[in-house]
Amino acid sequence: MRIKVINGPNLNMLGVREPDIYGRTTYSDLVELIKEHALKIGVSVDVFQSNHEGDLVDEIQACYGLVDGIVINPGAYTHTSVAILDALKAVSIPAVEVHISDVDSREEFRKISYVRAACQKTISGHGVKGYLEAMDFLAGVDQ
Ligand code: DQA
């Protein structure tokens, strides 16, 4: 199984960015955790991050025919981007929405997710572990 993990804006600042909300794990630590977990559950994984909405759309489109599952944390674009929603719908690849923080217990605007409609599951507020849980879900691994 081939999984693509896609991270949106400011997730490259993990570890530095609002550590009380997002924790102290750095982005490169997160990439390592994801790669180690992929080895453990026997899937191949590629990890992508961009601060640009169109680049995220391009990356989702590039998954078509090549990827079996998408784990996506669109960052702030979660709450604004119809383009990312449409890209996920266009490729029709099973996808899981991940948020490090619990978006439903923060500001009102974070409760709205456009991408959710194209995802099979949302994992929110489980910290960076949420990415690993999303991989397990896509791979059909019992948690
Ligand atoms: C986030 C939550 C979003 O509201 C925020 O804009 C982010 C990160 C999370 O992982 O908790 O950038 O997606």
Side-chain angles (χ1 to χ4, degrees), residues 2-5 46 59 62-70 93-94:
R2 300 153 301 180
I3 291 179
K4 174 79 76 173
V5 178
D46 185 52
E59 193 66 18
C63 289
Y64 184 68
L66 296 176
V67 165
D68 308 301
I70 295 175
I93 297 168

Side-chain angles (χ1 to χ4, degrees), residues 9 11 17 22 73 75-76 78-79 99-101 103 106 110:
L11 288 154
R17 168 191 193 200
Y22 299 111
N73 182 348
T78 306
H79 319 298
H99 300 288
I100 294 167
S101 66
V103 283
R106 298 179 62 193
R110 291 187 206 275

Side-chain angles (χ1 to χ4, degrees), residues 3-127:
I3 291 179
K4 174 79 76 173
V5 178
I6 298 177
N7 277 300
N10 299 307
L11 288 154
N12 56 316
M13 296 294 284
L14 271 184
V16 175
R17 168 191 193 200
E18 301 180 271
D20 293 350
I21 297 175
Y22 299 111
R24 300 211 175 261
T25 304
T26 65
Y27 181 70
S28 59
D29 291 340
L30 172 65
V31 173
E32 267 320 294
L33 286 171
I34 289 168
K35 289 187 172 164
E36 278 168 21
H37 195 67
L39 274 180
K40 190 173 146 199
I41 64 171
V43 300
S44 78
V45 74
D46 185 52
V47 188
F48 176 81
Q49 189 275 331
S50 175
N51 293 324
H52 306 280
E53 186 175 15
D55 290 347
L56 296 166
V57 169
D58 286 345
E59 193 66 18
I60 293 165
Q61 290 184 6
C63 289
Y64 184 68
L66 296 176
V67 165
D68 308 301
I70 295 175
V71 175
I72 185 160
N73 182 348
Y77 289 136
T78 306
H79 319 298
T80 63
S81 181
V82 177
I84 292 174
L85 166 67
D86 284 350
L88 289 168
K89 283 186 165 175
V91 296
S92 208
I93 297 168
V96 178
E97 174 190 15
V98 170
H99 300 288
I100 294 167
S101 66
D102 179 8
V103 283
D104 289 324
S105 65
R106 298 179 62 193
E107 302 94 324
E108 280 301 308
F109 64 83
R110 291 187 206 275
K111 293 181 182 163
I112 297 158
S113 168
Y114 285 86
V115 301
R116 195 158 301 173
C119 294
Q120 294 191 347
K121 190 180 168 81
T122 296
I123 299 171
S124 179
H126 296 190

